[in-house]
Amino acid sequence: GVSRLRTQDWMLGYLRGVSDATTTPLQLDPFASIDVVAMNAWLEAYCRANPLESIYRATGVLATEMLKGARKQ
């Protein structure tokens, strides 16, 4: 519904902000091609495992995981 789309848009904006704050023009941007379906699946799994956490916290954890994955490459 509309609420889910707003949450998704907010998450994408948050991740874009993290990207802008943590990458330079010469670095590979781990957020450049976010798979929205995978992001939603990750969020649903995270929220099931951590029902008392906020969307803000969940998105921060996702951003951290994406940055860790990019650094390993």
Side-chain angles (χ1 to χ4, degrees):
V2 171
S3 179
R4 184 180 186 106
L5 288 175
R6 285 185 181 153
T7 298
Q8 179 178 299
D9 286 346
W10 181 87
M11 289 179 70
L12 291 169
Y14 180 102
L15 294 173
R16 181 83 262 151
V18 170
S19 172
D20 289 349
T22 59
T23 59
T24 66
L26 299 177
Q27 289 177 306
L28 183 63
D29 182 357
F31 305 99
S33 60
I34 296 171
D35 180 343
V36 175
V37 173
M39 180 185 76
N40 287 334
W42 184 95
L43 177 65
E44 287 179 21
Y46 183 87
C47 289
R48 272 194 301 276
N50 304 280
L52 300 179
E53 293 288 345
S54 66
I55 293 295
Y56 175 79
R57 172 76 177 132
T59 307
V61 172
L62 175 58
T64 300
E65 293 299 315
M66 291 176 75
L67 287 170
K68 284 181 189 175
R71 288 184 186 126
K72 289 180 183 177
Q73 294 177 1

